[in-house]
Amino acid sequence: MLEEAVGKRVRRGDMTGAMTAELPKLHLDEIDTPTLAGEIVRSLRYRGGKDPTVATKHDWLIAATLVIRDRMIDRWMESTKQTYKQQDKRVYYLSLEFLIGRLLRDALSNLGMLERMKEALVSLGVEFDAIAELEPDAALGNGGLGRLAACFMESMATVNVPAHGYGIRYVNGLFRQEISDGWQVELPETWLDHGNPWEFERRERSFEVGFGGTVESVTSRDGRLERHVWKPAERVLAVAFDTPVVGWRGNRVNTLRLWSAMPVDPILLDKFNAGDHIGALQESNKAEALTRVLYPADAHQAGQELRLRQEYFFSAASLQDIVQRHLSQYGELMSLPDKAAIHLNDTHPAVSVAELMRILLDVHQIDFDTAWDITKRTFAYTNHTLLPEALESWPVTLFERLLPRHMQIVYAINAEILLEARIVKTFDDAAIRRISLIQEDGERRVRMGNLAFVGSHSINGVSALHTELMKETVFADLNKLYPLRINNKTNGITPRRWLMECNPALTSLACEAIGDRFMDDVDYLKDLDGFADDAAFREKFAAVKRANKERLAKVVMERMGVRVDPSALFDIQVKRIHEYKRQLLNIVEAVALYDQIRSHPEREWMPRVKFFGGKAAPSYHNAKLIIKLANDVARVINRDPAVRGLLKIVFMPNYNVSLAEIMIPAADLSEQISTAGMEASGTGNMKFAMNGALTIGTLDGANVEIKQFVGDDNIFIFGLTAAEVAERRANGYEPRQLIESLPELSQALAAISSGVFSPHEPDRYRDLISGLYDHDWFMVAADFDAYANAQRSVDMLWRNSPEWMAKAIHNVARVGWFSSDRTIREYAKEIWEVMT
Ligand code: 26Q
């Protein structure tokens, strides 16, 4: 069904709007099933060196992947050539994270070949799903920010924006999480162990990156300073690995270029000859360590030197690549801002601002003012968090030692900015101190957010609320200095992966009801809105949801040996574990509910399964304790015959993109319950709504906008607003008093704190809970009552299945706006200026 639609329609006009002309149409359906099967066997034989009779599932996976990859190459070259020929402006998306997940289903689906691939494999005696699940997730990211970069790559290819993603090819992506006795255990994720059939190594595309050393001044004969020359003490080689990224209907293929570090001299021959064989490999080990592992802390600054090295390494390699490409095509750099938009995904690549300045000043001898103008017109920056602990800053001493020339440049930029603030805008000393690129109180540090801000012509937040808070808080002074720069670009998600691929049953149902035009423009999902009143449709919709829940229940049984009933309400909170995301609020409410069910077994409780999933940063003590608590509470509740069938708790280990693709379509209720003002946007919230879950959430991040789109009656909003949170914090919030006035909450907290769920270590949660009494920074107690009441409204609605389904259908129908195609078009028009 879906396949036919993809194959037949070759209507690309409505996907684009780019200045770039239309690419010649590709006949997506040109290959028939027997030919495809033949190609797979050839690939197996001549590239894998295997005969079908001895091939393993894994061999088949590689063979099929290579066939599909080959089919992307012509398009890829075509896209590149056309951009070059038409002298189109290119977008460079710099991100330390790309959380892509698996690629095979995505590529097949976008090329309209999924069904034919399944048929071809069946004809060879191979089951597609069985080989597809062997593909490892490319988990080169922590969470939201990395997944957003992946959705953006797919959308840029879809809406025909010529773009390159730049990042790091981590050998070890985000760790694999095991749960052992309820505790998180981190294991290395070795996604490259069996090779990576998607990537092309480009040895010829390699650049040297320097660290440390000294800066020499070159003076003219009359003693005037002419220029600076940085003499790095160490060098490593950045080697490019390219992965093609195909858009919907194979429209365009862009490049994701990931850098891998290699030694400039793999073996130090003098040491080797002197018999020091280990010492001879020292360089090699040191270089390769650079791109070995992704830092697993999100929303938390890792102060390690290696992290700063990673940031500079990939920034420097990417900028050399960009500048070289520009020079080879245009022969000069004055036109860089007209032909290149470089986007900073948070501050992680912010050192790029200083690096471009260095290239312009020191390598190309452009004067400071011109270089600064080029730089600002080229860069744009997205902020993803306001949490103070996540704002990146580096000790001046470290920065200076690693990047001595960049430190000088940062000082020079700072002098320029502070002069402007003081003289032109007459800012006072306090404001000057806040605007400075250097934090002066305590250890002196370079503020990467301020650097990214002043070096960019556009600074955007990721939801309407977040953008307003940016203006009022972290960037209040810089916003006064440069009032036009901050703008909003509410996040989005790609409907290909997050609806069509992960929820084929809902996609087919939608096609049946409203035709297939929503596949090219998800706004047309709004045609479903009227079907909310159609009893027959509601039943079909409920059956789709039921089937997705059965699929999840099967996975839960296989992986954990736990039985869950698909007719219960599936209530899901999946995301990184963070105190501000308030998994603790959810658990405490579950404990309170458990208590209620036990005290009032006669009441008509609605059966519910509460799912949790997510990873904690390995060094984040409380987050890990919250995982343990969820598991402890699950053990006690799931075993208690008094609540059997009414309440079950499941902590799903190793939440990742692939698991998200199974859990999200199975959700009835989406938990988006962060302390208002703290979640910049959220994107899980959008994925759940698009798959027909109702949201229970606070007025935080993009929840605010989701509420506006789905309507107040189709979402459960509770709790303090961001303004109220700020107000409570400012005016002396006393959680202890509040807790003591709420018996259900007090009892739940007392139970946890006294060891009801941890009998062998009764004090395990004492500190965690006493934090709620003492300060409760995340307002768990303040929002508890409102949350518990909202959950009882959820139960009430759940009793009325037709009404629940109607609201769920409204959600699906009304969230098309949260497509990352929309987001990317906004970036393309308003920031990058690559679209009209
Ligand atoms: C910084 C310095 C050193 C080491 C690590 C880091 C680091 C790494 C990752 C800091 C932050 C992150 C990730 C942040 C993140 O994922 N933010 C989320 O971005 C999403 C996309 O915009 C939003 O939807 C979420 O609200 C936001 O939390």
Side-chain angles (χ1 to χ4, degrees), residues 97 142-146 148 295 297-303 307 311 346 348 383-385 390 392 394 462 491 580-581 678-683:
E97 307 197 3
N142 275 288
L145 167 149
L148 186 75
Y295 274 91
D298 67 325
H300 184 81
Q301 122 117 312
R307 169 74 183 195
E311 295 185 356
D346 215 293
H348 315 155
N383 171 280
H384 295 267
T385 181
E392 241 189 320
W394 293 101
V462 290
N491 283 167
Y580 84 82
K581 293 178 189 279
M678 302 194 83
E679 188 70 273
S681 161
T683 44

